[in-house]
Each structure stands twice: as structure tokens, then as C-alpha cells.
């Protein structure tokens, strides 16, 4: 009975409450927001690098419109997976904490650059594209990723404390629960990828750039 009870503590209400009370969770959200602002503003500046980025984004939107739903799903899932795996890998490093904190910045820059480019070139049509085909899926995926990054920061902090002073705050079966929680949140990012592919299927026909 105790094992069964312990099994369902992988992610219970208490853990969620502790996460939301942790200031780091909200700092990660702020870092992501800063990334969006930076990416959106940088894409509007003139320069050779900016022009190359604009070409890449333009090719991305055209390719996305021409691909099937499964292809778009796999591509979106692969992007999410790369960030999730990077976070988990860094969590087991004693110096992983600061690098994990940078992951939402890079994700924000990517989303901000795409949406910023679309709005700067296509105005209301570009804004509509972002609202229908980028933000809904991104909201789900990023929310799950913030939880993933926060969990990874906590684990990496414990690894560091354990290595330096032998005083890491490990709970029973913490590594096992850490990996299970990461897997659960990755499933949510997969849902975001599914919504992304469905959005592309439904709305791509309305945006001809």
C-alpha cells in the first residue's frame, strides 16, 4: 500500500505548489519573455545577418505550408525534444544550472524572430499568422518546458551541492521521479507539437506570403 501511495507522489498538488512558490519558475518565464522581445526587435534591424535570418524564416514559412501534417508534427516535436533533452542532460552536470537558465532565452529569441519578421513584413496578415499558427502551440509547449527547466535547475543545484559539500537535498528515489516528471512534461510538449501541426493544416491556406 505504501508503495502504491508513494507512486502517485511523482507530481502531486504539493509539488506543484512548491514549484509555483519558487521564484526561479517566474524568472524563467521572464527570461523567455526577454528572448521574445529581443528576437522580435533584432529582426527589424538592417544588416547582412538580419537579411539572412529573414530568408531562413521566409523559407521556413513556405516549407511549413507545403508539408503534410505528420511532417510538421515531427519537425515541431524534434525542436521541443532538443530543448527538453538539453535540459535533462545539463541537469546531471555540476555546472548545468546557468546553461539551463539560458534555454528559455534561446527559445524566446526563435519565436520572437519569426513573429517579429512576419509582422514587420506582412503587418496584420503576419500578426494573424502568429496568433493562429505559432502562439497557441507555443503557449502549451513553453509552459511545459518552463516546468522542465525548473525541475532541471533544481536537480542540477542538488548535484552541485552534493559534489561540493556533500549536502545535496535529495529525496527518496529523486532521480527516478525527476525523470518521470520530465517525461510527463515532454508528453505535454508533444501535445503542443500536435496542435502546431493541426494549425498548419487548417490555416496555412489562408496565408500566402
Amino acid at each position: 500500500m505504501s508503495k502504491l501511495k508513494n507512486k502517485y507522489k511523482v507530481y502531486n498538488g504539493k509539488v506543484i505548489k512548491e514549484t509555483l512558490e519558487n521564484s526561479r519558475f517566474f524568472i524563467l518565464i521572464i527570461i523567455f519573455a526577454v528572448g521574445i522581445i529581443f528576437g522580435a526587435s533584432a529582426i527589424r534591424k538592417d544588416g547582412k545577418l538580419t537579411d539572412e535570418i529573414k530568408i531562413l524564416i521566409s523559407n521556413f514559412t513556405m516549407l511549413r505550408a507545403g508539408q503534410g501534417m505528420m511532417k510538421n508534427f515531427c519537425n515541431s516535436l524534434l525542436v521541443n525534444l532538443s530543448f527538453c533533452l538539453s535540459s535533462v542532460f545539463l541537469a546531471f552536470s555540476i555546472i548545468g544550472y546557468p546553461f539551463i537558465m539560458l534555454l528559455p532565452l534561446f527559445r524566446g529569441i526563435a519565436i520572437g524572430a519569426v513573429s517579429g519578421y512576419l509582422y514587420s513584413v506582412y503587418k496584420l496578415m503576419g500578426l494573424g499568422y502568429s496568433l493562429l499558427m505559432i502562439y497557441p502551440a507555443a503557449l502549451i509547449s513553453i509552459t511545459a518546458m518552463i516546468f522542465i527547466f525548473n525541475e532541471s535547475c533544481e536537480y542540477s543545484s542538488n548535484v552541485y551541492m552534493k559534489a561540493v559539500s556533500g549536502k545535496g537535498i535529495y529525496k527518496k528515489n529523486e532521480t527516478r521521479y525527476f525523470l518521470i516528471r520530465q517525461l510527463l512534461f515532454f508528453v505535454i510538449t508533444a501535445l503542443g507539437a500536435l496542435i502546431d501541426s493541426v494549425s498548419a493544416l487548417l490555416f496555412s491556406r489562408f496565408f500566402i506570403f
Side-chain angles (χ1 to χ4, degrees):
M1 182 66 180
S2 60
K3 288 185 178 181
L4 182 62
K5 184 178 179 181
N6 200 36
K7 178 181 178 181
Y8 291 99
K9 289 185 178 179
V10 172
Y11 217 91
N12 55 27
K14 181 181 178 181
V15 178
I16 294 176
K17 184 174 182 292
E18 290 174 352
T19 299
L20 294 178
E21 289 177 347
N22 189 334
S23 60
R24 181 180 57 240
F25 181 83
F26 296 99
I27 292 173
L28 288 166
I29 294 175
I30 293 172
I31 291 174
F32 170 71
V34 169
I36 288 183
I37 295 170
F38 179 80
S41 59
I43 202 67
R44 298 181 185 182
K45 298 179 180 179
D46 295 327
K48 184 177 179 180
L49 178 60
T50 301
D51 291 337
E52 291 178 356
I53 293 175
K54 287 181 178 179
I55 292 173
L56 287 173
I57 294 173
S58 180
N59 291 338
F60 163 75
T61 55
M62 289 188 293
L63 180 65
R64 192 166 180 244
Q67 291 180 155
M69 178 178 171
M70 182 55 67
K71 186 75 172 180
N72 280 322
F73 171 76
C74 291
N75 289 340
S76 181
L77 187 65
L78 185 61
V79 172
N80 293 341
L81 180 62
S82 64
F83 278 92
C84 295
L85 287 181
S86 297
S87 173
V88 172
F89 175 77
L90 290 168
F92 289 93
S93 170
I94 61 173
I95 59 171
Y97 192 106
F99 296 101
I100 297 169
M101 294 293 288
L102 289 175
L103 290 176
L105 178 69
F106 295 137
R107 192 70 184 107
I109 289 174
I111 294 175
V114 173
S115 57
Y117 163 77
L118 290 171
Y119 179 75
S120 65
V121 176
Y122 303 107
K123 305 305 178 184
L124 289 178
M125 183 175 286
L127 178 61
Y129 184 98
S130 297
L131 290 174
L132 291 174
M133 298 179 58
I134 296 178
Y135 296 149
L139 179 62
I140 295 174
S141 297
I142 291 303
T143 300
M145 283 187 192
I146 294 297
F147 276 96
I148 288 174
F149 298 154
N150 187 62
E151 290 279 345
S152 294
C153 283
E154 184 69 25
Y155 195 89
S156 180
S157 177
N158 281 332
V159 170
Y160 175 81
M161 292 297 294
K162 187 70 174 179
V164 173
S165 61
K167 297 180 180 179
I169 307 173
Y170 286 101
K171 298 177 182 178
K172 185 178 180 181
N173 297 321
E174 182 60 25
T175 299
R176 176 189 171 192
Y177 288 158
F178 166 74
L179 293 174
I180 294 175
R181 288 194 290 265
Q182 300 297 63
L183 180 61
L184 291 175
F185 282 118
F186 175 69
V187 170
I188 297 177
T189 67
L191 175 61
L194 178 61
I195 292 175
D196 182 61
S197 60
V198 171
S199 299
L201 178 66
L202 294 177
F203 302 119
S204 288
R205 70 191 77 175
F206 302 113
F207 299 97
I208 303 175
F209 299 134

